Amino acid sequence: MERLWGLLHRTQRLSPRPSQTIYKRVEGTQQWRLEEEEEDGEEGAEPPIHFCPMELRGPDLGSRAGKQNLGLWAATGRRAAPYLVLTTLLIFTGAFLLGYVAFRGSCQACGDDVLVVSEDINYEPGPDSHQGTLYWSDLQAMFLRFLGEGRLEDTIRQTSLRKRVAGSAGMAALAQDIRVALLGQKLDHVWMDTHYVGLQFPDPAHPNTLHWVEAAGKLGEPLQLEDHDVYCPYSATGNATGELVYAHYGRPEDLQDLRARGVEPAGRLLLVRLGEISFAQKVASAQDFGARGVLIYPDSADFSQDPHKLGLSSHRAVYGHVHLGTGDPYTPGFPSFNQTQFPPVQSSGLPNIPAQPISADIASLLLRKLQGPVAPQEWQGHLPVSPYRLGPGPGLHLGVNNHRVSTPISNIFGCIEGRSEPDHYVVIGAQRDAWGPGAAKSAVGTAILLELVRTFSSMVSNGFRPRRSLLFISWDGGDFGSVGSTEWLEGYLSVLHLKAVVYVSLDNAVLGDDKFQAKTSPLLISLIENILKQVDSPNHSGQTLYEQVMFNNHSWDAEVIQPLPMDSSAYSFTAFAGVPAVEFSFMEDGQAYPFLHTKDDTYENLHRVLRGRLPAVAQAVAQLAGQLLIRLSHDHLLPLDFGRYGDVVLKHIGSLNEFSGDLKARGLTLQWVYSARGDYIRAAEKLRKEIYSSEESDERLMRMYNVRIMRVEFYFLSQYVSPADSPFRHIFLGHGDHTLDALLDHVRLLRSHGSGDPRAASSRVAPGLGFQESRFRRQLALLTWTLQGAANALSGDVWNIDNNF
């Protein structure tokens, strides 16, 4: 470059004086011509300008001076040409490299199905920050640094010591303390809302009773209920009398098996074991099979047999509500802000038969009295009775005197507003109430929630500002069936299905430390996998949680992923509101935590079950939830795997394929379901390609994509059934005739020859009714058009819809 500039300077020195081309009249002619004048060009002098007809004439190259100048310029150009070419190449190469570096952060073509934040993606600091750009690694390090400063263990201990039954004075005091704690953090909004709900409590003046019935039908001596204040909220009240029958876990298949062995459950009281399904499902199944009442007991066979591990005392009964649903059952589908506004209706999930928990000691006494066939080997338990028999046994009289109380409950909210999409909410919540000490049930979740609030507040003070709003919620009424969370959803459903991105539940987060489970919507599976690879295992040094899971099972999702159960607060978000949700749990390997929903769910027992690792496990949950929140609230593109539902449909359709011959013989076909699934898969693939080829810095385009992605779950709520009649409208996770499970159960009746299929009873089909073609056609239409609607919505604008219908 220096040589090039030297050549140019030399040429300039050898050139004659600078010349100017001006317009000048040529003497002796009538024409105006252009001539070249050699002028000294004094500074400040301007040539005369004439606006007149002109003739263009260049410099006289025939002169000797002109030829000399031309030769000098040609020689100089020949010498400079290689350097000019080299300079051009250098500038082009530098521009190309600069453009590549700037563009590679937004290139998605090489990514997986779910777009992942890489180390290159930057996060702009908040307006109050004096820091520069924050990258994902910066945010991760910042989060872990501030999280490590908390005192999770102390909060768990202190919360578990407070009496906090929903509606009690202790709960009101705790609610105010949590509100004050949130007000002390760097949150944009803190508020509470109150619902007036119908809760059921035992009547101290008239406790529930259990009596033997004498041969003459008179009441005999009572069986003393050892935990007299343990009860089943929302049980039918009144009396039930009948012979006793042992029905294993009380599942539909158990009752069908009982009937097949010649023991009729109808008209009798059922003795069922804790586990496998919820209390509400046990009572609903018993009612479907005509039973008059249900007694539920804990069998030691369902807990750890290790003599070095803690077990539940034989005189403890276990608490559990029996409403087959969520929320206030006395205002189904409506928020309980003021019950006087609504007619006196009840949820269809309330049972018509009474139910009562009993201890293992009382269950042993009852089992010894049973006659009849010996129970199958897999039905045998570990109580001091051998063998277990099916019954029937002597008559029993069950009296349930619970009463309904209109009770105020309060949810507490804290919010960090998003920078770019403040109207899109990433929600995280934890149950606050507990029937007993509730260390594992709600104290752990509450402590983690408060710690995350403090951590994100500190991050905001140090430059972090999420793209989307973070909403932290402490729920009330959880032990009565996610009442607080469901009432909030019912009150703001028209807003939340448009604005809530994801719900993360912290309930039941630590029930052990041997294995990890995630009960989740399919949309979150890929993101969970990615986060597991970045969180250290709390009990396997040097391993991540993902490596811990893969050590025993190479199919990580088969080991970790579970469907959302109805007794989780996350369930209502997905099955009722159409918002993807997840609930994390560390659990004991193969055995349940024995103290859940009992008076023994204390901090001390939880600490002993985890052998002193409670702080480490709670910290791992906080790390997992926190990094999930960062990704969901701050990625430019929402990391939700909208293509996963194509696999879900394919899995279920595979179950239907075996009945295609039976359906064809009746002139029926599943072709429309196959076509709708194909349209959904094509729409998902088309959207994925659009995203890969788009520019991430285009905020308007990213928001359009995010809106389509975040509503995928909502698309699977059936628009053809009433939320009042079928609140859980989700075709894959919900309950009712519109669901894919109900269709499968109905199709199986084709081969049951009207004898009644146990799985048909699980979808509330009366046993023995048999296959009905008209009902099948309606079910198929409800399922097909919901799936087709999801495919159409995912396609975007109506002119972009491409389907095979």
Side-chain angles (χ1 to χ4, degrees):
M1 288 297 292
E2 292 179 0
R3 186 174 180 184
L4 177 62
W5 284 113
L7 287 170
L8 292 173
H9 186 64
R10 180 185 172 195
T11 302
Q12 196 173 29
R13 288 203 319 268
L14 293 173
S15 300
R17 289 176 302 168
S19 63
Q20 292 181 344
T21 302
I22 63 173
Y23 300 112
K24 182 177 181 181
R25 182 167 183 165
V26 180
E27 295 294 336
T29 68
Q30 300 298 318
Q31 295 180 339
W32 293 85
R33 294 184 180 175
L34 186 68
E35 285 194 352
E36 181 179 36
E37 281 195 358
E38 305 294 337
E39 296 184 352
D40 293 339
E42 292 183 7
E43 203 171 299
E46 294 190 8
I49 299 175
H50 306 278
F51 296 95
C52 56
M54 64 193 72
E55 177 182 348
L56 183 63
R57 179 184 294 179
D60 185 5
L61 296 179
S63 66
R64 184 175 180 181
K67 289 181 179 179
Q68 184 180 5
N69 289 343
L70 182 63
L72 286 170
W73 274 106
T76 303
R78 282 193 298 271
R79 294 190 190 100
Y83 300 101
L84 289 171
V85 172
L86 182 59
T87 301
T88 304
L89 286 173
L90 288 172
I91 292 172
F92 175 79
T93 303
F96 174 81
L97 292 173
L98 187 63
Y100 171 76
V101 171
F103 182 71
R104 66 173 177 164
S106 61
C107 176
Q108 308 297 348
C110 304
D112 297 329
D113 287 349
V114 176
L115 306 182
V116 178
V117 176
S118 70
E119 296 291 330
D120 297 337
I121 293 181
N122 58 350
Y123 296 88
E124 296 86 347
D128 300 331
S129 172
H130 300 291
Q131 293 187 1
T133 300
L134 294 174
Y135 291 88
W136 164 246
S137 57
D138 300 326
L139 286 177
Q140 194 176 34
M142 182 191 294
F143 170 75
L144 294 176
R145 183 173 76 252
F146 288 124
L147 183 69
E149 298 173 359
R151 301 175 63 186
L152 273 171
E153 190 174 15
D154 287 345
T155 307
I156 295 170
R157 181 192 294 109
Q158 292 168 12
T159 304
S160 66
L161 292 174
R162 302 182 67 159
K163 294 186 181 297
R164 55 191 193 284
V165 176
S168 67
M171 170 54 79
L174 178 59
Q176 287 300 326
D177 289 347
I178 290 179
R179 179 176 176 273
V180 169
L182 296 188
L183 287 170
Q185 301 298 331
K186 194 175 179 62
L187 301 177
D188 296 304
H189 309 283
V190 175
W191 74 99
M192 295 175 65
D193 69 6
T194 300
H195 301 267
Y196 296 87
V197 298
L199 304 182
Q200 201 183 66
F201 296 97
D203 185 350
H206 303 88
N208 299 340
T209 60
L210 186 64
H211 289 80
W212 295 110
V213 176
E214 298 176 353
K218 294 182 179 181
L219 292 184
E221 64 178 280
L223 286 87
Q224 191 64 43
L225 298 177
E226 295 169 302
D227 268 356
H228 62 276
D229 52 349
V230 182
Y231 70 112
C232 288
Y234 303 124
S235 164
T237 57
N239 303 314
T241 303
E243 295 175 315
L244 187 66
V245 168
Y246 172 56
H248 201 208
Y249 291 111
R251 299 168 296 187
E253 54 266 37
D254 294 331
L255 300 178
Q256 187 65 32
D257 194 2
L258 191 66
R259 179 175 283 167
R261 294 174 184 274
V263 180
E264 178 58 49
R268 289 170 166 152
L269 268 61
L270 302 186
L271 177 64
V272 301
R273 281 160 61 168
L274 180 74
E276 295 295 325
I277 59 175
S278 69
F279 278 42
Q281 290 170 305
K282 295 175 190 294
V283 176
S285 296
Q287 180 176 305
D288 287 339
F289 277 80
R292 293 184 178 176
V294 182
L295 300 172
I296 305 171
Y297 79 97
D299 197 300
S300 54
D302 298 311
F303 302 106
S304 175
Q305 304 306 304
D306 187 341
H308 301 292
K309 289 190 175 183
L310 294 179
L312 186 65
S313 169
S314 61
H315 64 269
R316 284 292 188 213
V318 180
Y319 166 100
H321 78 88
V322 293
H323 172 215
L324 190 64
T326 61
D328 182 357
Y330 305 110
T331 59
F334 298 97
S336 298
F337 288 117
N338 186 343
Q339 290 185 23
T340 60
Q341 297 178 22
F342 306 112
V345 295
Q346 292 189 356
S347 167
S348 59
L350 284 175
N352 297 322
I353 59 176
Q356 175 66 29
I358 60 173
S359 67
D361 285 344
I362 297 296
S364 298
L365 187 59
L366 297 176
L367 284 167
R368 292 192 191 101
K369 300 287 186 179
L370 293 182
Q371 306 295 321
V374 173
Q377 182 58 42
E378 60 271 19
W379 289 31
Q380 299 295 323
H382 288 171
L383 298 187
V385 178
S386 183
Y388 286 21
R389 293 185 176 273
L390 300 178
L396 283 175
H397 176 87
L398 172 64
V400 173
N401 302 307
N402 304 335
H403 64 292
R404 170 184 164 186
V405 179
S406 181
T407 307
I409 63 171
S410 297
N411 299 323
I412 310 168
F413 303 82
C415 175
I416 297 174
E417 273 197 44
R419 170 176 47 82
S420 301
E421 301 176 37
D423 57 332
H424 290 165
Y425 315 145
V426 177
V427 187
I428 184 166
Q431 174 183 328
R432 185 175 72 252
D433 65 299
W435 172 81
K441 179 60 182 175
S442 64
V444 170
T446 297
I448 295 174
L449 179 72
L450 293 174
E451 184 63 17
L452 288 174
V453 169
R454 188 196 61 77
T455 300
F456 277 94
S457 177
S458 299
M459 291 174 67
V460 168
S461 298
N462 283 267
F464 170 71
R465 198 71 183 182
R467 297 180 61 82
R468 300 170 196 94
S469 296
L470 286 169
L471 198 56
F472 304 92
I473 310 179
S474 175
W475 303 116
D476 200 351
D479 263 358
F480 291 83
S482 304
V483 175
S485 58
T486 303
E487 295 307 308
W488 184 67
L489 286 172
E490 289 176 341
Y492 303 101
L493 183 61
S494 59
V495 174
L496 292 174
H497 88 269
L498 298 173
K499 298 191 174 187
V501 176
V502 165
Y503 176 66
V504 180
S505 170
L506 297 173
D507 298 340
N508 304 310
V510 180
L511 302 176
D513 67 344
D514 290 330
K515 65 178 182 178
F516 173 80
Q517 280 190 348
K519 301 163 186 174
T520 182
S521 159
L523 294 174
L524 289 161
I525 292 175
S526 295
L527 178 59
I528 292 169
E529 178 182 9
N530 182 269
I531 298 297
L532 287 178
K533 295 176 181 178
Q534 303 180 54
V535 176
D536 292 335
S537 168
N539 55 0
H540 291 77
S541 180
Q543 284 187 342
T544 64
L545 277 176
Y546 183 80
E547 291 169 339
Q548 175 186 332
V549 169
M550 292 292 287
F551 183 79
N552 295 321
N553 194 333
H554 293 296
S555 177
W556 82 274
D557 51 347
E559 177 78 8
V560 170
I561 303 301
Q562 300 290 328
L564 284 167
M566 187 183 287
D567 55 0
S568 164
S569 64
Y571 179 82
S572 291
F573 274 84
T574 300
F576 174 70
V579 177
V582 60
E583 179 176 290
F584 303 117
S585 294
F586 279 92
M587 310 180 74
E588 291 294 290
D589 191 9
Q591 302 293 334
Y593 173 69
F595 306 119
L596 199 65
H597 291 130
T598 72
K599 296 176 182 178
D600 293 332
D601 183 16
T602 62
Y603 165 80
E604 290 75 19
N605 279 339
L606 181 60
H607 196 276
R608 289 167 64 190
V609 166
L610 270 71
R611 299 174 294 281
R613 288 200 290 269
L614 175 58
V617 180
Q619 183 87 350
V621 175
Q623 289 184 23
L624 187 69
Q627 294 190 53
L628 197 73
L629 292 182
I630 294 174
R631 290 290 311 277
L632 289 166
S633 67
H634 220 72
D635 278 16
H636 283 260
L637 190 74
L638 282 172
L640 301 179
D641 190 355
F642 48 84
R644 278 274 182 172
Y645 267 115
D647 300 331
V648 173
V649 181
L650 182 62
K651 178 182 177 181
H652 285 83
I653 286 180
S655 302
L656 286 170
N657 283 338
E658 64 177 291
F659 300 98
S660 58
D662 302 84
L663 293 170
K664 188 175 181 180
R666 292 172 173 260
L668 302 171
T669 179
L670 296 170
Q671 182 58 42
W672 297 118
V673 178
Y674 301 147
S675 294
R677 174 194 172 266
D679 287 339
Y680 181 84
I681 291 175
R682 281 188 291 274
E685 186 61 27
K686 183 179 178 182
L687 177 57
R688 184 176 289 117
K689 289 179 178 178
E690 287 180 21
I691 293 171
Y692 287 164
S693 61
S694 64
E695 177 55 58
E696 190 182 65
S697 60
D698 189 334
E699 293 284 348
R700 176 179 172 275
L701 191 59
M702 288 299 106
R703 181 178 175 87
M704 289 173 59
Y705 288 145
N706 285 335
V707 167
R708 285 163 67 181
I709 292 170
M710 67 182 278
R711 293 180 188 168
V712 166
E713 200 79 68
F714 179 76
Y715 300 153
F716 291 109
L717 299 187
S718 177
Q719 305 301 307
Y720 307 101
V721 294
S722 165
D725 299 330
S726 300
F728 305 119
R729 295 178 292 149
H730 202 290
I731 60 173
F732 300 120
L733 300 173
H735 286 263
D737 230 27
H738 60 283
T739 63
L740 187 51
D741 281 343
L743 178 66
L744 281 166
D745 289 340
H746 191 193
V747 170
R748 290 187 182 106
L749 294 178
L750 285 169
R751 298 184 181 177
S752 66
H753 303 293
S755 62
D757 187 281
R759 288 167 294 192
S762 69
S763 56
R764 313 309 296 266
V765 179
L769 198 56
F771 183 83
Q772 300 172 357
E773 183 175 323
S774 61
R775 175 171 170 259
F776 172 80
R777 288 182 180 276
R778 182 177 184 276
Q779 285 180 303
L780 190 62
L782 293 175
L783 174 68
T784 301
W785 284 107
T786 302
L787 183 56
Q788 186 64 48
N792 292 345
L794 195 62
S795 296
D797 296 309
V798 291
W799 50 83
N800 290 326
I801 295 174
D802 178 22
N803 58 52
N804 287 335
F805 266 62

